[in-house]
Amino acid sequence: MGINQELLQKIVYSIGRAVEHDLPEYLQEHRKETNNATVQLRGDFINDNLRRNLVDEEIQLIPFKRFVWEGRIIVDNVNKVTYTVTTKRNLDSIPKKQRKSPHYLETILHVENGGLEAPVKQLQLLRYPAFDDDVYDDDYSSMFSGYIQDPQQFRHYVITYEAQNNELRDVQLHFLDKDFDPIGDAMPLNQYRKLDYGLLTQTDNSELDPTDKEIPDVVGSPETIKAALRTRRTDHARKVK
């Protein structure tokens, strides 16, 4: 899949600024007896920076919710790639937990990377989760709300970061199959931590309303998305036979 180097540089910069500048500055100005919300605050600052630095005619930032928690998905419409940002610890923990409903990354990997398989599969006595395709399709449609018409044209990458003591230690790009097994080696992104600030002048979206202005008109309803997914799986099954 095509890798947008400029986009990756902006993502890494957005993470680094949140970890090393935005969060420490906020905690210094709003010092409390305890700071238990620090991890969530870091994610909020990352998402703010992603909106400010990334969104333009080709890059979308799609909002979705998990109960009271809100997340963001980066969509590169030119290269047909989606990205999510999370900590390395969180990524490692996701496939180990049993859930009553899919984790959002399980859903995205199942739908977008479902036709791929890692060259080396990890042997596990129990593989979670075990949901039907319809469950993943419905969940995917609810997250993207029709802004991606044909998910099978897209591939998903996970960007992980590790931070300690307000310092960004490591950033990596992961390409995984639906079982969270790596399709290839993780790609280090630490070389992108020094940003060419000229890139930021190309996307000045700090005043965008996150509810609507950065997202174009809906191009496909949830029903259209699910129908396309079922048709593709049927065609794939016929080819296998």
Side-chain angles (χ1 to χ4, degrees), residues 186-200:
M187 175 182 171
L189 299 180
N190 298 304
Q191 69 272 24
Y192 294 115
R193 292 179 62 181
K194 292 185 178 181
L195 179 69
D196 176 1
Y197 289 93
L199 297 176
L200 297 182

Side-chain angles (χ1 to χ4, degrees), residues 90-203:
N90 185 52
L91 178 63
D92 291 341
S93 71
I94 293 171
K96 300 176 183 178
K97 296 180 180 179
Q98 186 176 13
R99 295 178 173 83
K100 295 182 179 179
S101 59
H103 187 278
Y104 73 89
L105 264 180
E106 292 173 332
T107 292
I108 297 174
L109 291 177
H110 189 92
V111 172
E112 295 188 9
N113 296 1
L116 307 173
E117 186 169 309
V120 178
K121 300 295 293 179
Q122 299 295 320
L123 180 62
Q124 295 186 12
L125 296 178
L126 295 175
R127 172 73 72 176
Y128 297 119
F131 301 104
D132 293 335
D133 287 341
D134 286 346
V135 175
Y136 290 116
D137 295 347
D138 290 342
D139 192 34
Y140 187 95
S141 299
S142 68
M143 283 193 293
F144 284 86
S145 303
Y147 292 109
I148 289 182
Q149 187 172 18
D150 187 359
Q152 298 294 328
Q153 293 183 2
F154 282 76
R155 292 291 180 259
H156 188 73
Y157 288 104
V158 182
I159 296 177
T160 63
Y161 68 93
E162 295 180 76
Q164 186 176 5
N165 298 327
N166 298 327
E167 179 183 353
L168 183 62
R169 295 295 183 89
D170 190 45
V171 189
Q172 294 190 352
L173 182 75
H174 303 265
F175 191 31
L176 310 171
D177 68 10
K178 64 180 180 180
D179 298 318
F180 285 75
D181 290 329
I183 296 173
D185 293 335
M187 175 182 171
L189 299 180
N190 298 304
Q191 69 272 24
Y192 294 115
R193 292 179 62 181
K194 292 185 178 181
L195 179 69
D196 176 1
Y197 289 93
L199 297 176
L200 297 182
T201 62
Q202 302 173 21
T203 52

